[in-house]
């Protein structure tokens, strides 16, 4: 059964013999299901994701899986997925493997995926910054994901951006005010400004 929110794609890597599902968790939290079999290499799944998002700069990305010790490992794309995950219902994560020094030099499709990865790093506390910087970053996130500011309920605003994960509740008013100043800025421009700030942080990448 495919859970709500998942996308299902019958892939060429499947087949009646030894077939099973591979769930790919994407950087924005969505997921897709692919038909594969015990001989399907990781490259099949990886290439599918690259085509789906029109990503040309493949070297920045990779697939992670969780081994039997619950440790994350990079999937060897040349080897069968089942041989590495050792599970009948494989799950892998599409992630940024190498961070570009200057995100402005990569294509928009790569930059879009990098945004989700760096946002996650920020929300998980792996990119510490000042409160002022956190407010600016959160405002750009709001512009990317919500568009122009509108009068909304506090908890709705926070839940859509998941700001509570980084204890930004006390900064919400300031974030809202800053977000209002970005009215008319495109999603692409807001994403670029977000990444420019992120690359200046000490622990970026």
């Amino acid at each position: 059964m495919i859970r709500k929110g998942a996308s299902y794609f019958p892939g060429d890597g499947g087949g009646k013999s030894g077939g099973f599902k591979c769930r790919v968790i994407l950087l924005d939290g969505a997921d897709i299901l692919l038909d594969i079999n015990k001989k399907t290499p990781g490259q099949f799944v990886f290439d599918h994701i690259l085509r789906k998002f029109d990503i040309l700069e493949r070297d920045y990305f990779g697939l992670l899986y969780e081994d039997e010790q619950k440790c994350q490992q990079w999937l060897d794309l040349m080897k069968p997925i089942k041989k590495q995950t050792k599970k009948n219902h494989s799950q892998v994560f599409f992630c940024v493997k190498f961070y570009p020094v200057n995100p402005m030099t990569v294509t928009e499709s790569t930059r879009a995926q990098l945004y989700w990865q760096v946002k996650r790093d920020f929300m998980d506390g792996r990119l510490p910054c000042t409160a002022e910087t956190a407010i600016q970053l959160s405002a750009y996130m709001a512009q990317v994901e919500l568009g122009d500011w509108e009068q909304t309920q506090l908890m709705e605003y926070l839940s859509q951006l998941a700001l509570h994960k980084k204890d930004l509740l006390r900064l919400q008013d300031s974030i809202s005010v800053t977000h209002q100043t970005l009215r008319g800025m495109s999603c692409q421009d807001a994403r670029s400004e977000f990444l420019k700030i992120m690359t200046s942080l000490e622990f970026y990448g």
Side-chain angles (χ1 to χ4, degrees), residues 35 38 47 102 109 111 119 134 142 146 153 156 196 199:
D35 278 330
K38 63 182 181 181
D47 287 346
N102 181 2
S109 56
R111 204 153 48 238
K119 177 194 172 182
L146 306 179
Q153 294 295 322
E156 179 184 358
K196 285 177 184 177
T199 56

Side-chain angles (χ1 to χ4, degrees), residues 43-110:
Q43 192 71 56
F44 166 79
V45 173
F46 187 63
D47 287 346
H48 182 94
I49 302 302
L50 296 182
R51 288 194 301 270
K52 177 178 174 64
F53 294 107
D54 297 319
I55 297 172
L56 301 177
E57 295 145 317
R58 59 193 304 121
D59 291 343
Y60 290 116
F61 302 95
L63 296 174
L64 282 171
Y65 72 97
E66 195 174 79
D67 65 19
E68 294 175 315
Q69 285 72 47
K70 305 296 182 181
C71 296
Q72 287 193 324
Q73 307 287 348
W74 289 108
L75 195 75
D76 186 331
L77 300 181
M78 296 297 105
K79 295 180 180 179
I81 295 173
K82 185 174 176 60
K83 185 175 181 180
Q84 298 175 74
T85 63
K86 303 185 185 302
K87 297 177 181 179
N88 289 328
H89 301 283
S90 295
Q91 177 170 283
V92 296
F93 300 83
F94 181 69
C95 295
V96 171
K97 193 172 186 179
F98 301 106
Y99 292 68
V101 176
N102 181 2
M104 300 306 105
T105 63
V106 300
T107 61
E108 182 60 36
S109 56
T110 294

Side-chain angles (χ1 to χ4, degrees), residues 94-137:
F94 181 69
C95 295
V96 171
K97 193 172 186 179
F98 301 106
Y99 292 68
V101 176
N102 181 2
M104 300 306 105
T105 63
V106 300
T107 61
E108 182 60 36
S109 56
T110 294
R111 204 153 48 238
Q113 296 302 313
L114 180 64
Y115 166 80
W116 293 112
Q117 179 74 65
V118 177
K119 177 194 172 182
R120 182 183 301 173
D121 294 343
F122 170 59
M123 300 303 290
D124 289 346
R126 293 194 290 271
L127 290 171
C129 62
T130 65
E132 181 180 357
T133 299
I135 290 168
Q136 190 68 54
L137 288 168

Side-chain angles (χ1 to χ4, degrees), residues 135-175:
I135 290 168
Q136 190 68 54
L137 288 168
S138 299
Y140 282 129
M141 285 162 47
Q143 190 67 18
V144 170
E145 299 175 43
L146 306 179
D148 288 342
W149 180 90
E150 294 183 3
Q151 189 74 37
T152 56
Q153 294 295 322
L154 173 62
M155 293 314 296
E156 179 184 358
Y157 191 87
L158 290 173
S159 64
Q160 288 188 68
L161 288 176
L163 295 182
H164 58 283
K165 292 184 179 179
K166 194 170 168 59
D167 193 27
L168 292 173
L169 284 167
R170 63 187 177 84
L171 303 178
Q172 199 274 339
D173 288 342
S174 297
I175 293 169

